Amino acid sequence: MSPTEPAKRKRKRIIGTFKCPAVNCGKVFSRADHLGRHQRSHNPGSRYACPYPNCGQTFTRHDVKEKHFKRHTNGIEKSKRDEGSTENTLSPTDLIEWLFHDELSVDNSNSGTNLPGHSTDLPSGFSPVSLIETMFAVSPNFPNSNYRIAVNENIRSNLISFIPSLEANPDFGCLQIEECLSNYWLLYHPQYPILHRPSFLNSEAPPLLLLAMVMLGSNFVPCAKSADSLLRNPKALADQIAEPLRWLIFANIDCRPPAKVWVVQSLLLLETYEITSSSRFLHERAYLHHGSKIQLLRRSPILGGDPLKSENHDGAYSPPNQVWKTWIEVESMKRATLMAFYLDTIHATVYGHSIILYAHQLKLSLPCEDVLWEFDNTNKSETLSFERTPKFLAAMNKLLHRQKVVTSSFGKKVLLAGLLTIMFQMQQKDLQLSFLEWDSMKDSWNQTISLAIDVWRADICTEGGCCDTENSLWFPIESKKKLPPMLRIDDTRCKFGLYHIAQIYMRISHYDYIIYAGAPSRMNVKAGKAEYEIVAKRVMEWSHSLNGSISAIHAYWFLCEMILSPDNEDITFTYDPNTDPFMHRKNIIASAVLVLFAYNYSLHGPESVTYDQLATSDYYPDKEDGYSYLRRIRKCLSRGPGGPFHRINYGRTSAQFHEAIKLHSETLRSIDNKHHLVGLLKLFYRSYKGCNWEIGREYSKLFRNCIKRCLGRKSVVCDDMYVN
């Protein structure tokens, strides 16, 4: 066959003028096949409908319809079809697969969905369950509880050898140290149970860890409200320990990979104090060095090694007489790692710090039950039982699929932090993929995570939600009578402020609301007029959106929980940040106040224009005092279709609870005089003015700046915010 023969056989295309015969059409085509395709557009019976659920689009050409349908079924949309979801919504499975890909290794026995992963065999004859079973067969020999409080002169002298200046401090006698340690176990340990209380022995504890505990216990003296406190200046003692402690820990021979568990524990205790209760210098120092702690964990077996393995060994084989010690060491390191993850997340949420440890990097199980961790063999009436705790990622998977997870009070904190890290990752995806038509997905992933956070509050927490003390803390029976008012079982104030600020931060950044309030800089970077104008534009768009009103609802809700009784309008609470045992809550309160200022001021402007007529510099007339203002807002919201505002979740499923928030946000828009903020701002300006925490005093100045603006002052910036 010659090369030219195929060309001779080729059918010639008919070229000519082909006019559409349809009435009032008049279109002309040069090819007959083009006319044929066009004529189908005049015949509805020959149109091809997209079979994808709730799509509804029709096409005149079969090939165009097929091409359109593949957009539904390719990539992310495939999992939407499998779940029967409808769109533009990013489903939970989409979210997990998009973020984690093959990094996600889930123990399928604990997971609601089978996800791809890798597995690694445990040592022959060993499993975490067998370790626990062996433990139960052996009676632990824990010391008497007095030994974790009692301090003798030898212990004191050993501590002074690390910080010699403590010798001259009258608050560092044996009895004062004992008071500090008692405060630590009573007030800090229930919030962050990373030390094993039953086996703790002061005489055998690493001295630098003991100093960190004394530092925190000293800081808690105002919270304990003990009338017979032996400490004259507890804040000075805490700072005296904190300043050299970081360098002492870093210089210790155990502070190298793989780090001893006491090193990580000491750094965690120090970081919580530096970030929440110290000077700006120490606050910034903690942020600069918090990555060192994470790197120590990355270079240890608990976070290091194969990044795709499905399971870290929860222990190793030990002889019966060592089994309790082995389990305590392994569980302690796991808890320290989970707390490092929690602190990394909460500081990113509350302060706008950069996050460096993500959910998919934790291949650990959740903390064991509180009863097991706090089991003390001195109490013979206690009996132990064991249920294997789910893997962290498996629990996260369940949460995103709106399934209930049973875990300890500490585990609840960790799960909430996990949802927030997913939020941060998705925000990063927003920045990376906005040019790839990702913007249409933003609202859908936001909705998925927001609903999961509400599932966490409504289904994982009990009836009392974030205000139930026993949801967030675990106390031994003998401690309950010693608790200060804010930690008692009958206290109605919010214990999980992170829940509210999480829902707020999903919708407005820390940078926007603090710069809009007038902060001259953030993270040591000055914000000029141009930066403020950009922020003001974003805040204006936010406040006019549903996201703005939902943010405001959570801010109102949190403040109502903190200073109003849910059942009696005549009962109000005074908030003093110095006596708040929840170390991060004072910053979350400040954020909620600033969010309300940003929302209402951007919508309605100042409360009055009397600033230029004020006679004295510290007199600020208000139209409503802060308590009356919050009571009025709460009453107006409760009359709306969302139901009683102070009992949003009672008797409702998580979905109903989530929808109630939206209903309240719609009601909020119709409430008059929401910009009467001077009285509310004055409440917190005065309480933060005497704060022991330097950053708290900075917030007080920023509140005063917002007061002046609400009274009609034109200038925006709080020039003296960072001036001592």
Side-chain angles (χ1 to χ4, degrees):
M1 182 181 292
S2 70
T4 60
E5 286 184 7
K8 292 179 181 178
R9 295 177 183 175
K10 190 173 182 180
R11 185 171 64 89
K12 291 185 178 180
R13 181 180 293 129
I14 301 174
I15 304 295
T17 300
F18 301 92
K19 184 176 181 181
C20 177
V23 180
N24 297 326
C25 180
K27 287 191 176 182
V28 178
F29 300 88
S30 61
R31 290 169 47 181
D33 56 330
H34 287 185
L35 173 62
R37 291 176 183 172
H38 166 73
Q39 283 181 302
R40 286 196 289 269
S41 66
H42 294 296
N43 183 5
S46 65
R47 295 182 73 86
Y48 301 96
C50 174
Y52 192 78
N54 297 323
C55 178
Q57 291 196 49
T58 60
F59 303 87
T60 59
R61 290 169 49 185
H62 181 269
D63 59 328
V64 175
K65 185 267 294 182
E66 286 297 304
K67 186 177 181 181
H68 162 82
F69 181 69
K70 286 180 181 179
R71 293 178 184 171
H72 287 298
T73 58
N74 284 343
I76 288 177
E77 295 294 342
K78 183 177 183 299
S79 63
K80 289 182 184 174
R81 181 187 62 179
D82 292 341
E83 292 197 354
S85 59
T86 56
E87 342 96 353
N88 295 326
T89 298
L90 200 64
S91 73
T93 297
D94 300 336
L95 203 57
I96 294 169
E97 290 181 351
W98 177 261
L99 283 176
F100 301 155
H101 300 289
D102 59 349
E103 293 175 320
L104 182 63
S105 302
V106 177
D107 183 350
N108 288 333
S109 65
N110 292 309
S111 174
T113 302
N114 292 326
L115 296 173
H118 298 254
S119 63
T120 182
D121 292 331
L122 291 168
S124 178
F126 167 78
S127 74
V129 176
S130 66
L131 176 64
I132 299 290
E133 290 172 346
T134 306
M135 283 168 49
F136 286 178
V138 179
S139 179
N141 186 24
F142 295 146
N144 187 284
S145 60
N146 291 336
Y147 289 109
R148 56 178 170 264
I149 302 295
V151 173
N152 56 35
E153 194 57 43
N154 288 336
I155 294 174
R156 177 180 177 272
S157 298
N158 195 16
L159 298 179
I160 289 173
S161 69
F162 286 89
I163 306 178
S165 63
L166 290 173
E167 176 72 71
N169 192 323
D171 283 338
F172 203 70
C174 289
L175 293 178
Q176 288 88 343
I177 296 173
E178 289 180 354
E179 181 183 338
C180 293
L181 292 175
S182 178
N183 286 342
Y184 174 88
W185 292 115
L186 181 69
L187 302 176
Y188 186 87
H189 176 73
Q191 300 181 59
Y192 304 110
I194 61 172
L195 303 184
H196 190 246
R197 188 179 63 91
S199 65
F200 198 88
L201 192 60
N202 287 345
S203 59
E204 296 180 0
L208 297 180
L209 174 59
L210 208 57
L211 280 168
M213 296 166 66
V214 173
M215 171 197 69
L216 283 170
S218 178
N219 181 62
F220 277 120
V221 167
C223 305
K225 290 190 173 180
S226 175
D228 54 352
S229 174
L230 299 173
L231 281 81
R232 302 176 186 176
N233 193 343
K235 185 66 172 65
L237 174 61
D239 286 338
Q240 188 178 2
I241 295 173
E243 190 159 349
L245 185 57
R246 183 169 290 278
W247 315 129
L248 291 169
I249 296 170
F250 283 163
N252 192 277
I253 193 172
D254 287 341
C255 188
R256 61 182 180 182
K260 297 289 181 65
V261 64
W262 76 261
V263 170
V264 181
Q265 291 168 336
S266 301
L267 289 172
L268 290 169
L269 302 188
L270 176 60
E271 182 177 330
T272 53
Y273 176 76
E274 288 179 318
I275 288 285
T276 68
S277 306
S278 64
S279 64
R280 173 157 287 280
F281 168 74
L282 291 181
H283 173 92
E284 292 177 352
R285 186 182 78 173
Y287 175 59
L288 292 174
H289 292 284
H290 85 294
S292 302
K293 160 185 87 269
I294 303 299
Q295 291 306 321
L296 283 173
L297 291 169
R298 290 194 196 282
R299 291 176 175 268
S300 68
I302 200 157
L303 284 186
D306 180 3
L308 297 182
K309 65 186 176 184
S310 64
E311 174 153 20
N312 274 359
H313 306 338
D314 288 351
Y317 175 75
S318 296
N321 60 338
Q322 288 290 313
V323 70
W324 276 96
K325 182 178 180 181
T326 299
W327 177 79
I328 290 167
E329 289 177 353
V330 172
E331 182 73 14
S332 295
M333 182 58 90
K334 179 175 74 175
R335 285 171 174 255
T337 303
L338 292 173
M339 183 173 173
F341 169 73
Y342 175 78
L343 290 182
D344 187 49
T345 305
I346 193 173
H347 294 160
T349 308
V350 174
Y351 299 100
H353 293 171
S354 298
I355 197 167
I356 59 175
L357 187 58
Y358 291 99
H360 67 272
Q361 295 169 328
L362 297 183
K363 314 296 189 205
L364 306 170
S365 57
L366 288 173
C368 71
E369 302 97 318
D370 293 319
V371 174
L372 177 58
W373 184 241
E374 299 291 342
F375 171 71
D376 191 335
N377 63 304
T378 59
N379 188 348
K380 303 300 182 182
S381 63
E382 283 189 280
T383 58
L384 287 179
S385 61
F386 171 71
E387 291 184 11
R388 186 175 182 182
T389 56
K391 293 294 179 183
F392 168 73
L393 288 180
M396 290 298 302
N397 186 30
K398 283 190 171 184
L399 261 184
L400 288 170
H401 284 88
R402 309 178 198 175
Q403 298 173 14
K404 188 171 183 178
V405 179
V406 178
T407 185
S408 65
S409 56
F410 185 42
K412 291 171 186 173
K413 292 183 174 73
V414 173
L415 287 180
L416 181 55
L419 293 174
L420 292 176
T421 61
I422 294 178
M423 174 192 76
F424 283 112
Q425 285 180 277
M426 295 307 292
Q427 288 176 342
Q428 290 177 0
K429 295 288 185 185
D430 286 345
L431 295 175
Q432 296 167 1
L433 300 176
S434 59
F435 63 95
L436 295 177
E437 298 182 354
W438 179 256
D439 287 344
S440 63
M441 289 295 179
K442 181 173 182 178
D443 288 341
S444 66
W445 73 252
N446 188 299
Q447 170 69 7
T448 297
I449 299 176
S450 178
L451 178 55
I453 293 174
D454 282 343
V455 170
W456 174 89
R457 187 191 186 279
D459 293 347
I460 294 183
C461 296
T462 56
E463 185 78 357
C466 58
C467 293
D468 190 328
T469 303
E470 293 181 303
N471 272 327
S472 61
L473 307 169
W474 189 92
F475 297 105
I477 296 174
E478 64 270 18
S479 296
K480 292 184 179 180
K481 295 179 181 178
K482 305 175 185 177
L483 296 172
M486 282 191 177
L487 290 181
R488 290 177 186 160
I489 303 302
D490 59 351
D491 182 76
T492 61
R493 285 167 282 194
C494 180
K495 314 301 185 302
F496 274 118
L498 182 61
Y499 161 73
H500 295 291
I501 199 65
Q503 292 286 20
I504 290 170
Y505 197 91
M506 288 189 70
R507 296 164 171 90
I508 183 173
S509 71
H510 179 272
Y511 180 86
D512 281 0
Y513 62 73
I514 198 170
I515 295 300
Y516 187 78
S521 64
R522 179 185 169 274
M523 303 283 284
N524 306 100
V525 179
K526 185 175 181 180
K529 183 178 179 181
E531 286 80 7
Y532 175 80
E533 289 175 352
I534 293 171
V535 165
K537 182 179 178 181
R538 285 201 298 263
V539 168
M540 185 66 73
E541 292 173 353
W542 161 81
S543 62
H544 281 83
S545 70
L546 178 62
N547 279 334
S549 55
I550 290 177
S551 301
I553 282 294
H554 278 282
Y556 279 120
W557 188 11
F558 178 52
L559 293 181
C560 285
E561 287 175 337
M562 288 305 302
I563 65 175
L564 298 182
S565 166
D567 302 309
N568 190 329
E569 289 207 349
D570 295 328
I571 297 176
T572 59
F573 305 113
T574 300
Y575 182 73
D576 180 0
N578 292 332
T579 62
D580 192 343
F582 293 92
M583 301 181 75
H584 294 93
R585 191 162 64 177
K586 50 185 175 278
N587 196 94
I588 297 173
I589 286 177
S591 293
V593 174
L594 295 176
V595 164
L596 288 184
F597 169 79
Y599 177 77
N600 289 305
Y601 190 88
S602 63
L603 285 176
H604 306 295
E607 175 180 317
S608 66
V609 288
T610 60
Y611 179 75
D612 292 335
Q613 288 78 47
L614 296 181
T616 60
S617 60
D618 205 37
Y619 169 67
Y620 307 115
D622 56 64
K623 293 186 177 180
E624 286 181 280
D625 71 79
Y627 295 109
S628 298
Y629 172 81
L630 283 182
R631 276 195 294 258
R632 177 174 65 84
I633 297 293
R634 185 175 72 176
K635 187 177 295 184
C636 291
L637 289 170
S638 295
R639 292 174 183 153
F645 185 57
H646 56 290
R647 295 185 182 276
I648 296 178
N649 68 313
Y650 283 15
R652 302 186 187 188
T653 66
S654 55
Q656 291 170 332
F657 168 68
H658 187 72
E659 288 304 311
I661 299 293
K662 292 182 180 179
L663 292 173
H664 282 304
S665 68
E666 294 295 336
T667 303
L668 181 64
R669 294 186 172 277
S670 63
I671 297 177
D672 294 331
N673 299 323
K674 296 189 295 292
H675 62 308
H676 288 183
L677 293 171
V678 173
L680 185 69
L681 287 163
K682 281 164 62 175
L683 275 180
F684 294 101
Y685 156 61
R686 289 167 180 161
S687 64
Y688 280 72
K689 189 176 183 179
C691 192
N692 291 332
W693 181 40
E694 185 174 345
I695 293 174
R697 297 194 295 274
E698 294 170 359
Y699 277 129
S700 177
K701 295 175 185 178
L702 193 56
F703 295 153
R704 183 180 61 191
N705 186 71
C706 293
I707 290 170
K708 293 178 179 180
R709 292 177 65 189
C710 285
L711 292 174
R713 195 192 69 186
K714 298 298 182 184
S715 60
V716 170
V717 178
C718 179
D719 293 312
D720 66 341
M721 181 174 175
Y722 301 118
V723 178
N724 289 325

